[in-house]
Amino acid sequence: MKKIIFLSSILGLSFALSSQNIEGQEYLLTNKTNTYGISVLSLIDPYLSPLVYSGNGFQFEHESRRLLSLANTNLSIQSKINIEAAYLLNPAQTSSMTYMAFDYGFGMHYHFRPMKGLLLMAGGSADVGLGYKEVIRNINNPGNVDLATNLNLSGIALYDIQLPKRTLRLQLAVETPIIGWMYVPLQGASYYEMFGLGNLSNISHVSSLINRRGINPKLTLDFPFKHSVWQIGIKYQTLRYSANDMVFNRNELSLLLGTTFDMAGFGGWKRIAPPNFISPNK
Amino acid sequence: MKKYILIVLVSIIILPSCMNEAVMEPNTHEGNFQALWKIIDTRYCYLDYKKINWDSIHTVYENQLPSATGQIAFFDLMGKMLDELKDGHVNLYSDFDLSRYWKWFLDYPSNFSSDLIYTTRYLGQSYRIAGGMNYGKINNGKIGYIYYGSFSDAFSDGNIASILNSFSSCHALIIDVRNNGGGSLDYSKQLASYFFKKTTVTGYIRHKTGDGHSDFSNPIKIVTPGHPTIQWQRPVAILTNRMSFSATNDFVNRMTNAPNAIIVGDKTGGGGGLPLSSELPNGWLVRFSSSPMFNLAMGNTEFGIDPTIFVALTAADQANGIDTIIERAITALK
């Protein structure tokens, strides 16, 4: 891991140095952030149990952000991948739940720069999430799948804090689903009936603020440390959705730690690397 | 633009009240009793069919709560309340016990003795085992015999192909599912598929759609496919007793529609309701029938399926090492 961080930092640094040699040339950098987190979470899945399950989880998040083009430095695109696993118990600790989730999101933001050091981004994103919950002791309803895709409102605020020797970056990102689609099983029906016998009626639902609502503020601080820029943060996620006479709920608080760095990419017809950028493949 | 942003923000704040989770009862004897009673009241599928007055049962057992001090006494009382449903698919699971209703077979003759089927007259000691099935030829090699004791035991097409190939010289087959208490409905469907030439509707299933005792979905067809490559097209007899329950009941229901099949023995034990589970505030698990299954005529299979030929195992035959039900099946298959 240290090697990867070191090499990434060197690459970013070498780009910064090299760019000074290419007068008049501008290149777009891609900001990449990888964070690992530990979480405390609680969830209710009435298909599996009426009880609140709570426990701890582990997550990895990769976020990538770059300006759309050199011609327009007010628009950026963002992609995110989140992978999570958690182990939860019912209140009496007589039953456990295993939870796994994968989420991919893609968004676009418009940039505002109201004052020096402050960058505001507002826009939207689309995401698709797939999760699986399993309560192994249940009978004929031991598992349930979360599957949904959403269009979200998204906002990000970045503020650079100038210290005498370094610059810290404070970032607050918030996202909330507005409209989308979700799968919800039929209450009282087994997966055998739904997928074995093909009773798929009423498992597909349009979601909106009426039946699916959530918000996930994330506050992070970037700070240079030795050859890297590290990021620590805290993230809260709350999601509630309802269909087929069931209300599902998930609340999660995560502590995050990772690194963030800027990278340049070359490829295709238009992004030929300048000769002073030496590819390891040549 | 500001107006729309304001509407969205206000919606985010106000709309949570439109989606409230069900209120969970407190983890007390009273709270757990109410939670259990309500789960059955809203999700158990046979209250009307069995003409059970669940409100009255609430009164009777709530009055007994004060005398049920301690976990075990409380568990026993809740188990007794569930016994009122007379359903083998209803259980209460705690760390220290499992409540159960077994009168669906204890109140009837067993009509099965494993000692008999392993005598030299039938399987003997040199039978083969594949996919949870004990099999061999009986009646001087004229009839193939399979004993399948649990639909939880996995088998493959390869297992069945091997078994049926070994019976290629037999003119008929017996599948004995007595004392088979059930298991997987997938195995039930798969085993039945070897006896159907084409995909056939063999029953229906519904599920609870609301809190009312008669709130059910429309019937969904249960089909039994004909296996594409492995088929037994000669006569087959299915042997049943009261302990043929749940997935075995489903298998027998499918086989009543198979072209060359007869059912021989006692009425099956039933268990026609597909069970689901839920939890009480104290962490106990409750299993209950949730989705009633029906035969082709939309008749409920909860109380069992009548055989084509009723036969009981007689004490005299048993004393002479004869299984009356197997013998009657051999006669019927001639």
Side-chain angles (χ1 to χ4, degrees):
Chain A
M1 182 64 196
K2 279 183 179 175
K3 282 183 178 177
I4 295 170
I5 295 164
F6 178 72
L7 289 173
S8 303
S9 305
I10 292 297
L11 189 60
L13 186 64
S14 62
F15 178 83
L17 294 173
S18 303
S19 63
Q20 293 170 5
N21 299 331
I22 311 164
E23 290 183 12
Q25 298 260 24
E26 286 185 314
Y27 296 95
L28 291 177
L29 293 174
T30 301
N31 179 256
K32 290 181 181 289
T33 305
N34 295 315
T35 54
Y36 297 87
I38 52 171
S39 311
V40 288
L41 70 161
S42 67
L43 60 85
I44 300 175
D45 184 327
Y47 182 78
L48 299 175
S49 170
L51 304 183
V52 181
Y53 276 69
S54 55
N56 300 304
F58 175 81
Q59 64 174 280
F60 167 75
E61 185 174 285
H62 171 79
E63 186 176 322
S64 176
R65 189 187 303 157
R66 67 187 290 270
L67 291 171
L68 190 61
S69 73
L70 284 169
N72 187 346
T73 56
N74 285 328
L75 271 180
S76 67
I77 54 175
Q78 178 195 46
S79 66
K80 281 197 294 190
I81 293 172
N82 190 284
I83 300 168
E84 183 172 6
Y87 181 77
L88 307 99
L89 295 168
N90 69 1
Q93 302 196 338
T94 58
S95 175
S96 64
M97 177 188 288
T98 306
Y99 174 62
M100 288 171 285
F102 172 85
D103 190 88
Y104 173 77
F106 181 85
M108 185 175 282
H109 295 94
Y110 190 81
H111 292 211
F112 304 91
R113 296 176 182 82
M115 56 182 272
K116 190 185 176 189
L118 179 64
L119 173 62
L120 300 177
M121 296 184 236
S125 67
D127 73 74
V128 57
L130 174 65
Y132 179 68
K133 287 168 270 189
E134 184 175 70
V135 178
I136 196 73
R137 79 166 181 170
N138 276 9
I139 296 148
N140 286 326
N141 57 334
N144 190 21
V145 169
D146 293 335
L147 179 61
T149 180
N150 303 288
L151 291 176
N152 310 293
L153 275 183
S154 174
I156 302 169
L158 282 87
Y159 183 66
D160 286 343
I161 305 168
Q162 297 290 344
L163 298 181
K165 290 186 176 177
R166 63 192 70 193
T167 302
L168 308 183
R169 174 166 290 166
L170 198 60
Q171 184 174 177
L172 175 66
V174 181
E175 208 171 58
T176 183
I178 300 298
I179 194 166
W181 170 90
M182 60 183 176
Y183 155 81
V184 176
L186 304 171
Q187 188 183 33
S190 62
Y191 270 63
Y192 165 76
E193 180 181 334
M194 288 184 280
F195 295 97
L197 302 177
N199 183 12
L200 302 175
S201 61
N202 221 27
I203 62 168
S204 174
H205 298 266
V206 172
S207 62
S208 67
L209 287 172
I210 293 170
N211 62 355
R212 187 182 182 92
R213 305 168 4 70
I215 195 162
N216 57 347
K218 182 170 85 168
L219 181 66
T220 59
L221 179 71
D222 298 353
F223 59 97
F225 181 70
K226 293 194 174 178
H227 301 290
S228 310
V229 177
W230 289 75
Q231 182 177 90
I232 57 169
I234 186 166
K235 182 167 74 170
Y236 178 68
Q237 293 174 281
T238 180
L239 175 67
R240 183 180 290 184
Y241 59 97
S242 168
N244 294 339
D245 299 324
M246 294 181 284
V247 179
F248 298 76
N249 198 347
R250 182 163 71 92
N251 293 296
E252 181 171 2
L253 183 67
S254 309
L255 289 175
L256 309 170
L257 177 65
T259 57
T260 181
F261 48 89
D262 289 338
M263 293 189 76
F266 303 103
W269 291 87
K270 297 179 179 176
R271 298 280 181 95
I272 304 301
N276 52 332
F277 286 78
I278 310 299
S279 166
N281 297 327
K282 285 185 179 175
Chain B
M1 184 65 184
K2 283 181 182 173
K3 189 174 80 177
Y4 293 117
I5 292 172
L6 190 65
I7 289 170
V8 169
L9 290 176
V10 169
S11 301
I12 289 169
I13 295 164
I14 291 175
L15 282 176
S17 58
C18 303
M19 291 190 290
N20 289 326
E21 295 93 354
V23 177
M24 200 59 210
E25 299 286 347
N27 185 11
T28 60
H29 282 185
E30 175 69 23
N32 284 296
F33 164 75
Q34 297 295 353
L36 179 60
W37 183 88
K38 190 176 179 187
I39 288 168
I40 298 300
D41 185 51
T42 56
R43 301 186 64 188
Y44 183 68
C45 67
Y46 289 128
L47 288 174
D48 275 1
Y49 174 66
K50 294 181 178 179
K51 296 184 171 59
I52 294 167
N53 187 337
W54 195 239
D55 290 332
S56 164
I57 285 170
H58 181 277
T59 307
V60 169
Y61 285 89
E62 190 175 39
N63 290 339
Q64 296 178 45
L65 276 180
S67 60
T69 54
Q71 286 285 80
I72 292 176
F74 177 65
F75 179 87
D76 289 344
L77 183 66
M78 295 300 94
K80 203 173 153 194
M81 181 173 82
L82 293 178
D83 281 354
E84 303 277 1
L85 301 171
K86 295 180 172 53
D87 190 330
H89 270 152
V90 174
N91 304 95
L92 189 61
Y93 297 72
S94 71
D95 289 340
F96 51 86
D97 203 0
L98 166 72
S99 82
R100 67 273 179 189
Y101 177 83
W102 283 351
K103 288 189 175 181
W104 49 274
F105 68 90
L106 290 176
D107 283 358
Y108 298 85
S110 75
N111 285 316
F112 178 73
S113 166
S114 61
D115 291 343
L116 284 179
I117 65 171
Y118 296 110
T119 61
T120 52
R121 186 180 181 93
Y122 304 111
L123 282 180
Q125 296 302 312
S126 58
Y127 60 89
R128 298 188 185 278
I129 303 172
M133 297 179 185
N134 301 353
Y135 68 100
K137 294 177 186 174
I138 63 172
N139 193 36
N140 298 320
K142 294 175 186 168
I143 291 179
Y145 174 89
I146 298 170
Y147 181 73
Y148 187 40
S150 172
F151 274 96
S152 296
D153 291 340
F155 59 86
S156 66
D157 282 351
N159 294 138
I160 300 299
S162 298
I163 293 170
L164 297 183
N165 275 336
S166 75
F167 295 152
S168 58
S169 60
C170 300
H171 71 81
L173 174 65
I174 290 173
I175 300 179
D176 193 340
V177 289
R178 289 177 294 174
N179 279 30
N180 183 329
S184 163
L185 287 172
D186 289 331
Y187 294 146
S188 157
K189 181 172 79 170
Q190 186 179 344
L191 186 56
S193 73
Y194 303 115
F195 303 95
F196 282 80
K197 292 176 183 172
K198 61 180 181 181
T199 299
T200 307
V201 177
T202 50
Y204 297 91
I205 189 172
R206 305 173 82 175
H207 68 264
K208 286 293 303 290
T209 54
D211 291 349
H213 295 178
S214 292
D215 292 345
F216 288 105
S217 64
N218 291 326
I220 302 296
K221 289 176 187 172
I222 297 174
V223 297
T224 303
H227 195 279
T229 54
I230 306 167
Q231 289 197 357
W232 179 268
Q233 296 187 3
R234 298 171 202 171
V236 56
I238 312 300
L239 309 191
T240 55
N241 68 349
R242 288 293 297 177
M243 282 192 74
S244 303
F245 186 74
S246 191
T248 310
N249 198 58
D250 176 70
F251 171 70
V252 173
N253 179 52
R254 291 173 192 268
M255 292 302 289
T256 57
N257 300 285
N260 300 312
I262 55 171
I263 316 299
V264 181
D266 199 358
K267 186 174 187 170
T268 62
L274 184 76
L276 293 180
S277 55
S278 188
E279 289 182 293
L280 306 187
N282 62 4
W284 293 352
L285 181 96
V286 56
R287 179 174 85 146
F288 55 91
S289 297
S290 169
S291 303
M293 291 193 279
F294 305 87
N295 61 22
L296 200 54
M298 279 304 290
N300 238 307
T301 58
E302 166 66 358
F303 289 130
I305 296 164
D306 288 333
T308 321
I309 303 169
F310 262 111
V311 189
L313 186 63
T314 67
D317 279 350
Q318 196 169 349
N320 291 321
I322 294 171
D323 188 315
T324 321
I325 296 175
I326 294 179
E327 296 298 328
R328 183 66 184 86
I330 291 171
T331 306
L333 290 170
K334 279 180 180 169

